[in-house]
Amino acid sequence: MTENTIAKALEVWTLQNLVNASIVLGILALGLAIIQDYYRSLETRLSLRVSIELWRVFTILVVDVLLAIVVLIGYLSLNPDIMADIKIAVPFYPTATIFFALALVLRLFYGGHKEGSTNYWRSVYLMFLACLINIFGFTFVAEAASGEYLEATPHPFDFAFWMYLKTHLRSNAAPFGLKLAQITFYICFPILLAIFVWGFWAAFQKTGEKGA
């Protein structure tokens, strides 16, 4: 095994695990965003007003940090070369990244971090939908039934179902998965870029309002 082969295998392993970890982090961010009653119950154990304020800031910040990590990993993996190397469930993972990015912009710049506000619930629904999409893509596409299972399954429909998912919706499956990955990139990348521009514009507007 050559040095280049080892380096490539390490790159693929690292990227695949980053993508897989981002799915878990997305679910964790959603969970932490919706357990507001649990946060309030813990506040009763805090005696100082300062500690309560710090606790509230922390519970907001941790969700936003997790969302930012998920979006950045999603952006990193939304790359034709990377999608050809690792198992990306297309169009599931890129679509989920778009929803996570929308939720992040709402939370950062449009009051989506304020419990009970309209944009809070919008961000929660976007995160929930993104998590559902990721879960489906991970379970039924990226980690579809193994070759050993397919060899042992006696039912033709079961075999055809899993084989279709593995050969058509995985970004590194030639030729169908590679083609779908390219189509997904052409659609999702401009949308994600537009969300980044929207977020930058929103931040610029907020800064301008404070400076006025």
Side-chain angles (χ1 to χ4, degrees):
M1 185 176 290
T2 65
E3 183 178 344
N4 288 337
T5 303
I6 295 174
K8 186 65 176 179
L10 182 59
E11 177 189 357
V12 170
W13 181 84
T14 303
L15 289 170
Q16 189 69 68
N17 279 283
L18 275 175
V19 171
N20 292 345
S22 72
I23 297 172
V24 177
L25 293 179
I27 297 172
L28 180 60
L30 172 63
L32 292 175
I34 62 177
I35 56 171
Q36 299 299 319
D37 286 341
Y38 176 71
Y39 294 149
R40 301 291 86 82
S41 68
L42 292 180
E43 283 181 10
T44 60
R45 300 176 180 272
L46 302 174
S47 56
L48 297 177
R49 180 66 183 175
V50 174
S51 61
I52 294 175
E53 293 297 331
L54 289 174
W55 169 252
R56 289 179 179 176
V57 170
F58 173 77
T59 57
I60 293 172
L61 186 61
V62 68
V63 175
D64 295 338
V65 169
L66 289 175
L67 272 179
I69 293 172
V70 170
V71 172
L72 287 174
I73 294 176
Y75 161 73
L76 177 68
S77 62
L78 187 57
N79 176 295
D81 185 49
I82 291 177
M83 288 196 291
D85 288 337
I86 65 176
K87 295 184 295 184
I88 299 290
V90 286
F92 302 100
Y93 292 0
T95 303
T97 297
I98 289 173
F99 289 140
F100 278 127
L102 288 170
L104 181 61
V105 171
L106 289 177
R107 286 182 61 87
L108 292 180
F109 306 116
Y110 292 96
H113 62 282
K114 297 177 182 177
E115 180 187 353
S117 68
T118 300
N119 282 334
Y120 166 81
W121 286 112
R122 286 173 179 167
S123 68
V124 166
Y125 292 144
L126 286 167
M127 292 164 62
F128 178 69
L129 184 58
C131 286
L132 284 182
I133 293 171
N134 269 343
I135 290 171
F136 183 89
F138 180 81
T139 304
F140 290 94
V141 180
E143 300 302 324
S146 65
E148 292 81 2
Y149 172 84
L150 294 178
E151 290 176 3
T153 182
H155 201 292
F157 175 79
D158 200 23
F159 179 86
F161 171 75
W162 290 110
M163 279 303 296
Y164 181 86
L165 295 179
K166 292 173 59 145
T167 58
H168 286 72
L169 302 182
R170 281 183 180 175
S171 63
N172 60 350
F176 303 109
L178 292 172
K179 291 180 180 178
L180 182 58
Q182 284 294 101
I183 295 172
T184 301
F185 171 78
Y186 291 140
I187 295 173
C188 292
F189 184 78
I191 296 175
L192 189 60
L193 190 61
I195 294 172
F196 286 159
V197 172
W198 175 40
F200 177 82
W201 177 83
F204 182 79
Q205 290 291 104
K206 294 292 183 181
T207 304
E209 289 175 2
K210 291 181 178 180

Coordinates of all heavy atoms in Angstrom, one line a residue, residues 24-40 42 55-67 100 107 112-113 115 120 123-124 127-128 131:
V24 N -25.6 13.3 14.0 CA -25.9 13.2 15.5 C -25.9 14.5 16.1 O -26.8 14.8 16.9 CB -24.8 12.3 16.1 CG1 -25.0 12.2 17.6 CG2 -24.8 10.9 15.5
L25 N -25.0 15.4 15.7 CA -25.0 16.8 16.3 C -26.3 17.6 15.9 O -26.8 18.4 16.7 CB -23.8 17.5 15.8 CG -22.4 17.0 16.3 CD1 -21.3 17.9 15.7 CD2 -22.4 17.0 17.8
G26 N -26.8 17.3 14.7 CA -28.1 18.0 14.3 C -29.2 17.5 15.2 O -30.0 18.3 15.6
I27 N -29.3 16.2 15.5 CA -30.3 15.7 16.3 C -30.2 16.3 17.8 O -31.1 16.6 18.4 CB -30.3 14.2 16.4 CG1 -30.6 13.6 15.0 CG2 -31.3 13.6 17.4 CD1 -30.4 12.1 14.8
L28 N -28.9 16.3 18.2 CA -28.6 16.9 19.5 C -29.0 18.4 19.6 O -29.6 18.8 20.6 CB -27.1 16.7 19.9 CG -26.7 17.3 21.2 CD1 -27.4 16.5 22.3 CD2 -25.2 17.1 21.4
A29 N -28.8 19.1 18.6 CA -29.1 20.5 18.6 C -30.7 20.7 18.6 O -31.2 21.6 19.4 CB -28.6 21.2 17.3
L30 N -31.4 19.9 17.9 CA -32.8 19.9 18.0 C -33.3 19.6 19.4 O -34.2 20.3 19.9 CB -33.4 18.9 16.9 CG -35.0 18.7 17.0 CD1 -35.7 20.0 16.7 CD2 -35.4 17.6 16.1
G31 N -32.8 18.5 19.9 CA -33.2 18.1 21.3 C -33.0 19.2 22.3 O -33.8 19.5 23.1
L32 N -31.8 19.9 22.2 CA -31.5 20.9 23.2 C -32.3 22.2 23.0 O -32.5 22.9 23.9 CB -30.0 21.3 23.1 CG -29.0 20.2 23.6 CD1 -27.6 20.6 23.3 CD2 -29.2 19.8 25.0
A33 N -32.8 22.3 21.7 CA -33.6 23.5 21.4 C -35.0 23.4 22.0 O -35.7 24.4 22.2 CB -33.6 23.8 19.9
I34 N -35.5 22.2 22.1 CA -36.9 22.0 22.4 C -37.2 21.6 23.9 O -38.3 21.5 24.3 CB -37.6 20.9 21.5 CG1 -36.9 19.6 21.7 CG2 -37.5 21.3 20.1 CD1 -37.5 18.4 20.9
I35 N -36.1 21.5 24.7 CA -36.3 21.1 26.1 C -36.3 22.3 27.0 O -35.7 22.4 28.1 CB -35.3 20.1 26.6 CG1 -33.9 20.6 26.3 CG2 -35.5 18.7 25.9 CD1 -32.8 19.7 27.0
Q36 N -37.0 23.4 26.6 CA -37.0 24.6 27.4 C -37.6 24.4 28.8 O -37.1 25.0 29.7 CB -37.9 25.7 26.6 CG -37.3 26.0 25.3 CD -35.9 26.6 25.3 OE1 -35.6 27.4 26.2 NE2 -35.1 26.2 24.4
D37 N -38.6 23.6 28.9 CA -39.2 23.3 30.3 C -38.1 22.7 31.2 O -38.1 23.0 32.4 CB -40.4 22.4 30.2 CG -41.6 23.2 29.6 OD1 -41.6 24.4 29.7 OD2 -42.5 22.5 29.2
Y38 N -37.3 21.8 30.6 CA -36.2 21.2 31.4 C -35.2 22.3 31.9 O -34.8 22.2 33.0 CB -35.6 20.1 30.6 CG -34.4 19.5 31.2 CD1 -34.6 18.6 32.3 CD2 -33.1 19.7 30.8 CE1 -33.5 18.0 32.9 CE2 -32.0 19.1 31.4 CZ -32.2 18.3 32.5 OH -31.1 17.7 33.1
Y39 N -34.9 23.2 31.0 CA -34.0 24.3 31.4 C -34.6 25.1 32.5 O -33.9 25.4 33.5 CB -33.7 25.2 30.2 CG -33.0 24.6 29.0 CD1 -33.2 25.0 27.7 CD2 -32.0 23.6 29.3 CE1 -32.5 24.5 26.7 CE2 -31.3 23.1 28.2 CZ -31.5 23.5 26.9 OH -30.9 22.9 25.9
R40 N -35.9 25.4 32.4 CA -36.5 26.2 33.4 C -36.5 25.5 34.8 O -36.3 26.1 35.9 CB -37.9 26.6 33.0 CG -38.1 27.3 31.7 CD -37.6 28.8 31.8 NE -36.1 28.8 31.5 CZ -35.6 28.8 30.3 NH1 -36.4 28.8 29.2 NH2 -34.3 28.9 30.1
L42 N -34.3 23.4 35.8 CA -32.9 23.5 36.4 C -32.6 24.8 36.9 O -31.8 24.9 37.8 CB -31.9 23.1 35.3 CG -31.9 21.6 34.8 CD1 -30.8 21.4 33.7 CD2 -31.7 20.7 35.9
W55 N -26.6 30.8 32.6 CA -27.2 29.5 32.2 C -28.1 29.7 31.0 O -28.0 28.9 30.1 CB -28.0 28.9 33.4 CG -28.9 27.7 33.0 CD1 -30.2 27.7 32.9 CD2 -28.5 26.4 32.7 NE1 -30.7 26.5 32.5 CE2 -29.6 25.7 32.4 CE3 -27.2 25.8 32.6 CZ2 -29.5 24.3 32.0 CZ3 -27.1 24.5 32.3 CH2 -28.3 23.7 32.0
R56 N -28.9 30.7 31.0 CA -29.8 31.0 29.8 C -29.0 31.3 28.6 O -29.3 30.8 27.5 CB -30.7 32.2 30.1 CG -31.8 31.8 31.2 CD -32.7 33.0 31.5 NE -33.7 32.6 32.4 CZ -34.6 33.5 32.9 NH1 -34.6 34.7 32.6 NH2 -35.5 33.1 33.8
V57 N -27.9 32.0 28.7 CA -27.0 32.3 27.6 C -26.4 31.0 27.1 O -26.3 30.8 25.8 CB -25.9 33.3 27.9 CG1 -24.9 33.4 26.8 CG2 -26.5 34.7 28.2
F58 N -25.9 30.2 28.0 CA -25.3 28.9 27.6 C -26.3 28.0 26.8 O -25.9 27.4 25.8 CB -24.8 28.2 28.9 CG -24.3 26.8 28.6 CD1 -23.0 26.6 28.0 CD2 -25.1 25.7 28.9 CE1 -22.6 25.3 27.7 CE2 -24.6 24.4 28.6 CZ -23.4 24.2 28.0
T59 N -27.5 27.9 27.3 CA -28.5 27.0 26.6 C -28.8 27.5 25.2 O -29.2 26.7 24.4 CB -29.8 26.9 27.5 OG1 -30.3 28.2 27.7 CG2 -29.5 26.3 28.8
I60 N -28.7 28.8 25.0 CA -28.9 29.3 23.7 C -27.7 29.1 22.8 O -27.8 28.6 21.7 CB -29.3 30.8 23.7 CG1 -30.6 31.0 24.4 CG2 -29.3 31.4 22.3 CD1 -31.0 32.5 24.6
L61 N -26.5 29.4 23.4 CA -25.3 29.4 22.6 C -24.9 28.0 22.2 O -24.5 27.8 21.1 CB -24.2 29.9 23.5 CG -22.8 30.1 22.8 CD1 -22.9 31.1 21.6 CD2 -21.7 30.6 23.8
V62 N -25.2 27.0 23.0 CA -24.8 25.6 22.7 C -25.5 25.1 21.5 O -25.0 24.4 20.6 CB -25.0 24.7 23.9 CG1 -26.5 24.5 24.2 CG2 -24.3 23.3 23.6
V63 N -26.8 25.5 21.3 CA -27.6 25.1 20.2 C -27.1 25.8 18.9 O -26.9 25.1 17.9 CB -29.1 25.4 20.3 CG1 -29.9 25.1 19.1 CG2 -29.7 24.7 21.5
D64 N -26.8 27.0 19.0 CA -26.3 27.8 17.9 C -24.9 27.3 17.4 O -24.6 27.2 16.2 CB -26.2 29.3 18.2 CG -27.5 29.9 18.4 OD1 -28.5 29.3 17.9 OD2 -27.6 30.9 19.0
V65 N -24.0 26.9 18.4 CA -22.7 26.4 18.0 C -22.8 25.1 17.3 O -22.2 24.8 16.3 CB -21.8 26.3 19.3 CG1 -20.6 25.5 19.0 CG2 -21.5 27.6 19.8
L66 N -23.7 24.2 17.8 CA -23.9 22.9 17.2 C -24.5 23.1 15.8 O -24.0 22.4 14.9 CB -24.9 22.0 18.1 CG -24.3 21.5 19.4 CD1 -25.4 20.8 20.2 CD2 -23.2 20.6 19.1
L67 N -25.4 24.0 15.6 CA -26.0 24.2 14.3 C -24.9 24.7 13.3 O -24.9 24.3 12.2 CB -27.1 25.3 14.4 CG -28.5 24.8 14.7 CD1 -29.5 25.9 14.8 CD2 -29.0 23.8 13.6
F100 N -31.0 23.3 8.0 CA -30.3 23.7 9.2 C -29.7 25.1 9.0 O -29.7 25.9 10.0 CB -29.1 22.7 9.4 CG -29.5 21.4 10.1 CD1 -29.1 20.2 9.6 CD2 -30.1 21.5 11.3 CE1 -29.5 19.0 10.2 CE2 -30.5 20.3 12.0 CZ -30.1 19.1 11.4
R107 N -32.2 31.9 14.0 CA -31.8 32.0 15.4 C -30.9 33.1 15.6 O -30.9 33.8 16.6 CB -31.2 30.7 15.8 CG -32.3 29.6 16.0 CD -31.6 28.3 16.5 NE -30.9 28.5 17.8 CZ -31.5 28.4 19.0 NH1 -32.8 28.1 19.0 NH2 -30.9 28.6 20.1
G112 N -34.9 34.0 16.5 CA -35.3 32.6 16.6 C -34.8 31.9 17.8 O -35.2 30.8 18.1
H113 N -33.9 32.5 18.6 CA -33.4 31.9 19.8 C -34.4 32.3 21.0 O -34.2 31.7 22.1 CB -32.0 32.5 20.1 CG -32.0 33.9 20.3 ND1 -32.0 34.8 19.3 CD2 -31.9 34.7 21.5 CE1 -31.9 36.1 19.8 NE2 -31.9 36.0 21.1
E115 N -37.4 32.0 23.1 CA -38.4 30.9 23.3 C -39.8 31.4 23.1 O -40.2 32.4 23.6 CB -38.3 30.4 24.8 CG -39.3 29.3 25.1 CD -39.2 28.9 26.6 OE1 -38.3 29.4 27.3 OE2 -40.1 28.1 27.0
Y120 N -38.7 31.3 16.5 CA -38.2 30.2 17.3 C -38.9 28.9 16.8 O -38.2 27.9 16.6 CB -38.5 30.4 18.8 CG -38.4 29.2 19.6 CD1 -37.1 28.8 20.1 CD2 -39.5 28.4 20.0 CE1 -37.0 27.6 20.8 CE2 -39.3 27.3 20.7 CZ -38.1 26.9 21.2 OH -37.9 25.7 21.9
S123 N -37.7 27.9 13.4 CA -36.4 27.3 13.4 C -36.4 25.8 13.9 O -35.7 24.9 13.4 CB -35.4 28.1 14.3 OG -35.8 28.1 15.6
V124 N -37.3 25.6 14.9 CA -37.4 24.3 15.4 C -38.0 23.3 14.4 O -37.6 22.2 14.2 CB -38.3 24.3 16.7 CG1 -38.8 22.9 17.1 CG2 -37.6 24.9 17.9
M127 N -35.3 22.5 11.8 CA -34.4 21.5 12.4 C -35.0 20.1 12.5 O -34.3 19.1 12.2 CB -34.0 22.0 13.8 CG -33.1 23.3 13.8 SD -33.0 24.0 15.4 CE -32.2 22.7 16.3
F128 N -36.3 20.1 12.9 CA -37.0 18.8 12.9 C -37.0 18.1 11.6 O -36.7 16.9 11.4 CB -38.4 19.0 13.5 CG -39.2 17.7 13.6 CD1 -38.9 16.7 14.5 CD2 -40.3 17.5 12.7 CE1 -39.6 15.6 14.5 CE2 -41.0 16.4 12.8 CZ -40.7 15.4 13.7
C131 N -33.6 16.9 10.5 CA -33.2 15.7 11.2 C -33.9 14.5 10.6 O -33.3 13.4 10.5 CB -33.5 15.8 12.7 SG -32.4 16.9 13.6

